[in-house]
């Protein structure tokens, strides 16, 4: 075997190994390891094919087409031929199925005793409810919960930081304050800065004789000067030596802050205090839906669904009006970008957008929305569906190409061609409702101010192409 044959053989072995160890990756060409192998091959005038069924994946680089500024195609000329596309498609479907099984079987260590949810639900909220009215914040909000005395209008905000009872591998943490390597029982609290006008509650949980034991520290957010706080050997917390507290200490600290109006915040302001723009858009979308539905939001951490319409569980997805798509993917078992499943607790998907248009030189805001039941999504193979008849199984989709109907020319400036694959969407047309800004003089059920609406509204391509049904004078 000459040196070139040896290089080809070695690189081929690497590619075949990679094919068999793709984990949750569907496309071989996206793997960093594939790109490294490709770079190595180029040193010898070779390239590698990302096609999962290519029988000769390592070959002369001249057998690959040039893909513009991106360099060589990741698939060789043989695999790019039309007659080989069907085998590739089937191989990719098999890979999607394997990736989905990997995600479903993935075990994520998340002991109930190490999560903020466990401390919140099983300890903190029951303790504080004996004395105060408590509101647990939905996901994405800056504060974890809020408290007020009975009869008060506004609340103070509380940020909870926890150190759980178990290590990531499931072993119980030691019940001590030791700093020694291998015998560490002291608590660590991270990301403690940025809560200036809130009460900070730090709770360490340890499993002692089969019972959960809690250690508590309490401080004003303005007194916290370090992002990571460590329990000291004397039982205090952090460089500023925050003293240990107890349940009564928490109750007294809340009472003290409630006596100072500087800390008072309305529940709506707490609700809308979402720093990340992506999450703020999700919150605003759900608020806007209150214009047309009876909406409630679960007070808990991330769920497969976003809110309830009465008792129906709804997942809300944003329609990107420029691309015409809505992403229908989520995090599952710690893996991002996974398609939804028929087993997810969702009754329907609502696809929506908030847009702004010009009407007689005035900016007007609208919500466009449509609702598609989970059964319809299953029927049209948009979500993963397992059936006893494996031939009916679907690996799901990660994006939905929408049919805006009469709104399309306004949104994108033209009317796009329909495909047979998405023709079923014509049975689920968009509807619209005008969103007026919320003010004290003109209150709106969605409670979105003009600043809120400006922050999340998408621009349309051509306001003049607005359907006549939108350009109807209506009172707020």
């Amino acid at each position: 075997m000459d040196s070139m044959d040896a290089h080809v053989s070695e690189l081929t072995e690497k590619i075949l190994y990679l094919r068999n160890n793709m984990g949750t990756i569907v496309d071989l060409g996206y793997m960093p390891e594939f790109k490294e192998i490709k770079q190595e091959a180029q040193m010898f005038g070779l390239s590698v094919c990302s096609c999962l069924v290519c029988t000769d994946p390592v070959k002369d680089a001249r057998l690959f087409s040039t893909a513009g500024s991106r360099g060589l195609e990741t698939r060789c000329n043989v695999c790019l031929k039309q007659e080989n596309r069907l085998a590739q498609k089937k191989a990719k479907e098999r890979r999607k199925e394997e990736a989905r099984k990997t995600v479903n079987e993935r075990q994520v260590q998340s002991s109930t005793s190490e999560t903020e949810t466990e401390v919140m639900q099983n300890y903190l909220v029951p303790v504080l409810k004996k004395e105060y009215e408590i509101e647990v914040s939905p996901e994405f909000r800056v504060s974890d919960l809020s408290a007020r005395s009975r009869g008060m209008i506004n609340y103070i905000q509380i940020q909870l930081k926890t150190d759980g009872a178990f290590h990531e591998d499931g072993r119980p943490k030691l019940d001590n304050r030791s700093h020694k390597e291998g015998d560490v029982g002291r608590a660590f609290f991270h990301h403690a800065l940025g809560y200036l006008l809130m009460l900070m509650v730090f709770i360490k949980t340890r499993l002692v004789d089969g019972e959960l034991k809690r250690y508590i520290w309490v401080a004003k957010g303005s007194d916290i000067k370090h992002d990571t706080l460590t329990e000291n050997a004397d039982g205090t917390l952090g460089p500023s030596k925050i003293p240990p507290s107890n349940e009564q200490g928490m109750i007294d600290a809340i009472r003290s802050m409630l006596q100072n109006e500087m800390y008072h915040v309305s529940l709506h302001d707490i609700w809308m205090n979402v720093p990340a723009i992506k999450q703020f858009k999700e919150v605003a979308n759900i608020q806007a839906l209150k214009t047309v539905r009876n909406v409630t939001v679960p007070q808990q951490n991330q769920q497969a669904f976003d809110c309830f319409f009465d008792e129906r569980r709804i997942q809300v997805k944003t329609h990107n009006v420029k691309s015409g798509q809505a992403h229908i993917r989520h995090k599952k078992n710690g893996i991002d970008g996974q398609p939804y499943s028929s087993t997810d607790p969702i009754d329907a998907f609502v696809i929506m957008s908030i847009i702004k248009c010009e009407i007689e030189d005035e900016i007007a805001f609208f919500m466009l929305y449509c609702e598609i039941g989970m059964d319809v999504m299953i029927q049209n193979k948009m979500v993963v569906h397992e059936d006893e008849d494996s031939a009916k199984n679907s690996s799901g989709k990660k994006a939905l190409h929408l049919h805006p109907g009469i709104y399309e020319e306004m949104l994108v400036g033209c009317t796009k061609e329909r495909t047979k694959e998405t023709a079923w969407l014509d049975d689920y047309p968009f509807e619209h409702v005008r969103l007026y800004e919320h003010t004290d003089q003109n209150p709106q059920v969605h409670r979105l101010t003009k600043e809120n609406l400006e922050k999340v509204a998408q621009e349309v391509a051509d306001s003049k192409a607005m359907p006549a049904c939108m350009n109807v004078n209506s009172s707020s």
Side-chain angles (χ1 to χ4, degrees), residues 36-227:
E36 290 175 5
I37 296 171
K38 185 177 180 180
Q39 287 179 348
E40 183 181 349
Q42 288 172 347
M43 296 169 59
F44 307 104
L46 304 169
S47 195
V48 289
C49 182
S50 64
C51 178
L52 297 174
V53 292
C54 186
T55 56
D56 184 22
V58 181
K59 59 191 74 173
D60 193 309
R62 289 172 294 183
L63 299 176
F64 291 76
S65 300
T66 301
S69 60
R70 294 182 287 117
L72 295 180
E73 284 276 7
T74 59
R75 288 179 295 169
C76 65
N77 292 340
V78 173
C79 290
L80 284 174
K81 290 182 179 178
Q82 191 65 37
E83 60 264 28
N84 294 323
R85 295 290 177 87
L86 181 60
Q88 294 175 45
K89 184 177 180 180
K90 288 181 178 179
K92 193 165 186 177
E93 287 300 317
R94 287 196 301 271
R95 176 86 282 279
K96 284 183 179 180
E97 179 69 12
E98 291 166 2
R100 184 183 61 78
K101 286 181 179 178
T102 300
V103 172
N104 289 342
E105 293 168 1
R106 179 183 167 106
Q107 297 297 313
V108 179
Q109 177 61 42
S110 55
S111 169
T112 56
S113 296
E114 70 174 356
T115 64
E116 289 187 2
T117 300
E118 186 277 325
V119 175
M120 187 94 71
Q121 293 178 350
N122 298 338
Y123 179 69
L124 187 59
V125 170
V127 167
L128 297 183
K129 271 191 171 181
K130 296 174 184 177
E131 192 75 22
Y132 302 106
E133 292 181 5
I134 300 297
E135 290 285 340
V136 178
S137 301
E139 61 177 343
F140 305 139
R141 277 60 177 187
V142 173
S143 61
D144 292 314
L145 66 160
S146 47
R148 70 179 179 183
S149 295
R150 290 169 179 83
M152 290 185 67
I153 296 175
N154 291 327
Y155 294 77
I156 66 158
Q157 300 179 86
I158 301 172
Q159 175 62 213
L160 172 65
K161 295 294 180 182
T162 62
D163 184 288
F166 295 89
H167 293 286
E168 288 187 2
D169 60 8
R171 291 178 297 112
K173 294 179 182 177
L174 296 173
D175 181 35
N176 61 32
R177 301 181 188 124
S178 172
H179 291 214
K180 294 179 182 178
E181 187 175 348
D183 190 34
V184 177
R186 62 176 172 166
F188 295 85
F189 300 98
H190 304 285
H191 311 300
L193 291 175
Y195 306 100
L196 291 178
L197 297 178
M198 300 184 195
L199 183 68
M200 303 286 293
V201 175
F202 303 89
I203 297 181
K204 166 186 172 180
T205 302
R206 293 295 181 265
L207 187 65
V208 180
D209 298 327
E211 299 289 334
L212 294 178
K213 186 176 180 181
R214 315 287 187 180
Y215 298 86
I216 302 168
W217 296 266
V218 181
K220 291 180 180 177
S222 55
D223 293 335
I224 304 298
K225 307 300 181 185
H226 297 82
D227 201 43

Side-chain angles (χ1 to χ4, degrees), residues 379-435:
Q379 181 182 342
N380 290 283
K381 299 183 178 181
M382 300 308 299
V383 301
V384 173
H385 180 50
E386 292 199 24
D387 192 281
E388 290 181 2
D389 180 357
S390 61
K392 295 181 180 179
N393 287 354
S394 165
S395 58
K397 304 289 184 183
K398 297 182 182 181
L400 184 61
H401 297 264
L402 297 156
H403 289 195
I406 61 172
Y407 308 99
E408 186 168 35
E409 191 171 348
M410 171 189 68
L411 296 177
V412 297
C414 63
T415 302
K416 295 183 179 179
E417 235 181 277
R418 296 286 177 264
T419 64
K420 290 183 180 179
E421 189 178 19
T422 60
W424 62 273
L425 282 167
D426 286 333
D427 293 331
Y428 301 91
F430 277 85
E431 299 178 68
H432 76 269
V433 64
R434 185 163 178 177
L435 299 176

Side-chain angles (χ1 to χ4, degrees), residues 198-298:
M198 300 184 195
L199 183 68
M200 303 286 293
V201 175
F202 303 89
I203 297 181
K204 166 186 172 180
T205 302
R206 293 295 181 265
L207 187 65
V208 180
D209 298 327
E211 299 289 334
L212 294 178
K213 186 176 180 181
R214 315 287 187 180
Y215 298 86
I216 302 168
W217 296 266
V218 181
K220 291 180 180 177
S222 55
D223 293 335
I224 304 298
K225 307 300 181 185
H226 297 82
D227 201 43
T228 298
L229 302 180
T230 304
E231 183 182 9
N232 301 311
D234 62 359
T236 60
L237 183 66
S240 57
K241 300 278 188 179
I242 300 168
S245 187
N246 52 33
E247 293 177 4
Q248 189 59 48
M250 289 192 295
I251 290 170
D252 292 342
I254 292 172
R255 182 177 295 113
S256 174
M257 289 188 74
L258 283 170
Q259 292 171 355
N260 189 338
E261 290 189 4
M262 176 177 73
Y263 299 110
H264 291 190
V265 185
S266 72
L267 193 58
H268 176 71
D269 286 342
I270 293 170
W271 189 276
M272 298 303 294
N273 189 3
V274 182
I277 184 61
K278 179 182 177 182
Q279 281 74 35
F280 183 84
K281 286 180 179 180
E282 292 184 26
V283 171
N285 283 347
I286 293 171
Q287 288 294 110
L289 285 168
K290 292 182 178 182
T291 310
V292 294
R293 295 286 190 273
N294 179 26
V295 177
T296 55
V297 179

